[in-house]
Amino acid sequence: MAEINVALIGHQFMGKAHSNAYRQLERFFPGRYRFRMKVLCGKACSTELEATARQFGWEEFDCEWERVMARKDIDVVDISTPGYLHHPMALAAAAAGKHIICEKPLANTLAESKEMLRAVEKAGVKHYVNYNYRRVPAVAYAKRLIEEGRVGDVYHYHGSYLQDWIIDPSFPLVWRLEKKHAGSGALGDIAAHASDLAQYLNADITEVVGQMTTFIKERPLPGDGSGAWGAKGKSGKGKVTVDDDSNFLAQFKNGSIGVFESSRFAGGRRNFNNFQIYGSKGSLAWNMERMNELEVYDRTEASVNQGFKTIMVTEGDHPYVGAWWPPGHIIGYEHTFVHALWDFLSCLEEDRMPEPSFREGVKVQAVLDAVERSAKSKKWVKVRK
Ligand SMILES: NC(=O)c1ccc[n+]([C@@H]2O[C@H](COP(=O)([O-])OP(=O)(O)OC[C@H]3O[C@@H](n4cnc5c(N)ncnc54)[C@H](O)[C@@H]3O)[C@@H](O)[C@H]2O)c1
């Protein structure tokens, strides 16, 4: 069995989601290749980093990412840090000849993402950007139905991604609320997922008109080192420099039209990542808060029988789920990360490029860039190639 040595950079939210997936993978998806969890890297060599490394079974931990990149024994670098670090880390990893897994959005700007794509292509390494919602079985099944022609010609695509975790004005100014660290707010964080799903399930977006709003313009400084300053115990208020809510209309290459909304102020919507696709032969709808279900409407049925039906996507021959539990025994968020790593490992084994690669990551970045330009000009703008 070939061992692929991995270094994971980032040990908190995504660090744990990825660590859990590295642990679970070979138990449910055994293959000829396996990941070896070599080193977990964080911002500081804290007891918390060490504890997380132990808890998930990493062999070592470190707090100097440059040192990790330079190691000869690392095959794959997994970048799960705030957006502003994706660009320098990916360039360093590519220069060192490592295969790269990078969290979304690929970068903080379109220019950065293009440079990252050039670097990985020059280095000849495998590259993957973690738009993990593609790996929800119900979403992968929707893709299969679309490819089988069950939706027909698409007329409308609706993509919403709604959350409510910063609706309280006393929520602190963490890195996600600062442009220089996150690139943008709801747009890059969650509309990025919606844009990737749209371009995956439907077609490339060619033109947009958008609007971005910041409802709460100042917030308390976090004082725990998670904001801009990295300084503990700092009090007072700081400026929010990203959007709280971003919405746009889109024109797709295949002639269909899109309506997108993203907000972190949608009270009661905890992780409402939703799409609706309406075509000449049928319609599909999905929502992450009921992630095992896909709503399917078939216009080719006799009209007396027409109506949306809800398919529980847990059958053995639905994508991915056969590796888990019997039908009806639902799966969750963490499984999408296992599926993503399984596909990545299969690509290493079969010498294929994973999807979405940095190339598709750049395409999402181009949509985000267009929405920002449109929000400023208040006009329709073309998505840059
Ligand atoms: N795919 C998804 O569903 C999903 C969900 C959440 C976040 N994300 C993405 O994952 C990335 C990380 O987000 P998160 O929620 O895990 O953030 P987080 O704040 O929970 O964790 C950030 C991690 O980065 C590390 N870090 C920061 N600076 C560092 C440095 N200089 N050197 C080494 N490590 C450093 C921190 O130690 C921490 O472990 C972001 O790009 C985010 O958009 C993706």
Side-chain angles (χ1 to χ4, degrees):
M1 182 182 283
E3 286 203 326
I4 306 294
N5 290 341
V6 59
L8 170 60
I9 310 180
H11 75 295
Q12 287 173 318
F13 181 18
M14 280 306 102
K16 288 180 180 167
H18 290 219
S19 295
N20 173 63
Y22 286 113
R23 284 231 73 71
Q24 291 300 334
L25 182 60
E26 69 188 67
R27 299 188 169 87
F28 289 89
F29 294 85
R32 280 199 300 122
Y33 279 29
R34 71 179 287 270
F35 282 118
R36 181 160 172 186
M37 297 168 73
K38 269 281 179 195
V39 55
L40 180 67
C41 181
K43 187 173 170 179
C45 278
S46 57
T47 49
E48 188 207 344
L49 174 65
E50 185 177 1
T52 308
R54 285 230 178 86
Q55 201 180 340
F56 285 93
W58 290 93
E59 291 176 16
E60 299 166 49
F61 66 94
D62 204 338
C63 48
E64 292 286 339
W65 65 264
E66 292 90 344
R67 184 164 55 211
V68 170
M69 299 290 179
R71 283 175 60 152
K72 295 265 178 291
D73 62 341
I74 297 299
D75 304 304
V76 172
V77 171
D78 180 337
I79 302 169
S80 294
T81 55
Y84 75 103
L85 291 165
H86 295 185
H87 173 255
M89 288 179 173
L91 294 193
K98 316 293 186 201
H99 303 299
I100 307 174
I101 293 171
C102 184
E103 261 303 340
K104 49 55 61 178
L106 183 55
N108 277 7
T109 65
L110 176 58
E112 280 179 3
S113 69
K114 286 186 171 175
E115 202 182 342
M116 290 161 74
L117 176 60
R118 279 195 297 274
V120 289
E121 290 191 336
K122 184 170 168 224
V125 296
K126 304 279 189 259
H127 41 98
Y128 165 72
V129 53
N130 192 37
Y131 285 110
N132 55 309
Y133 291 109
R134 291 188 183 202
R135 264 78 191 187
V136 172
V139 175
Y141 186 55
K143 174 76 174 169
R144 193 189 286 174
L145 294 180
I146 292 164
E147 284 176 349
E148 286 172 5
R150 301 277 294 276
V151 172
D153 297 329
V154 175
Y155 296 124
H156 298 285
Y157 186 102
H158 289 221
S160 310
Y161 202 150
L162 305 175
Q163 300 181 336
D164 66 356
W165 58 278
I166 54 170
I167 197 166
D168 181 348
S170 67
F171 187 90
L173 189 65
V174 296
W175 68 263
R176 282 189 157 80
L177 301 173
E178 297 170 306
K179 191 170 175 63
K180 67 178 181 179
H181 289 113
S184 60
L187 184 69
D189 190 15
I190 49 183
H193 274 299
S195 305
D196 178 68
L197 280 188
Q199 298 195 111
Y200 170 61
L201 294 170
N202 188 23
D204 285 358
I205 294 171
T206 55
E207 257 181 283
V208 300
V209 60
Q211 157 263 317
M212 299 165 76
T213 308
T214 305
F215 298 118
I216 306 289
K217 299 194 173 19
E218 281 196 331
R219 287 181 179 273
L221 302 180
D224 64 355
S226 59
W229 314 272
K232 287 192 196 293
K234 198 154 182 177
S235 58
K237 284 202 162 191
K239 200 164 179 261
V240 174
T241 46
V242 299
D243 53 297
D244 291 329
D245 166 282
S246 281
N247 307 296
F248 59 100
L249 299 178
Q251 181 69 59
F252 288 91
K253 199 173 175 180
N254 63 1
S256 60
I257 54 165
V259 180
F260 291 85
E261 55 177 356
S262 66
S263 176
R264 305 194 285 201
F265 273 69
R269 299 298 190 197
R270 295 294 205 261
N271 198 34
F272 189 87
N273 178 6
N274 162 260
F275 64 71
Q276 299 160 53
I277 308 174
Y278 301 100
S280 57
K281 290 194 184 156
S283 310
L284 301 171
W286 172 82
N287 158 29
M288 181 61 195
E289 290 181 345
R290 302 186 70 89
M291 64 169 277
N292 290 276
E293 298 173 3
L294 182 69
E295 286 183 73
V296 180
Y297 167 74
D298 185 349
R299 265 200 71 232
T300 64
E301 280 187 12
S303 61
V304 286
N305 291 326
Q306 280 182 15
F308 271 99
K309 71 177 172 191
T310 303
I311 297 179
M312 180 76 104
V313 187
T314 56
E315 297 297 317
D317 48 7
H318 282 137
Y320 302 109
V321 275
W324 295 102
W325 316 117
H329 295 68
I330 55 176
I331 62 163
Y333 176 65
E334 71 273 27
H335 296 79
T336 63
F337 296 86
V338 180
H339 302 160
L341 290 184
W342 166 243
D343 287 337
F344 184 85
L345 200 59
S346 305
C347 286
L348 293 188
E349 195 177 323
E350 295 157 18
D351 194 21
R352 287 183 288 115
M353 188 53 73
E355 278 185 30
S357 70
F358 282 18
R359 188 161 285 282
E360 287 76 38
V362 169
K363 279 189 181 181
V364 172
Q365 223 67 48
V367 172
L368 307 182
D369 166 82
V371 174
E372 289 205 62
R373 286 187 287 118
S374 167
K376 277 196 195 115
S377 68
K378 298 188 187 296
K379 293 199 167 85
W380 278 91
V381 301
K382 290 206 184 309
V383 173
R384 288 183 178 135
K385 294 270 178 215

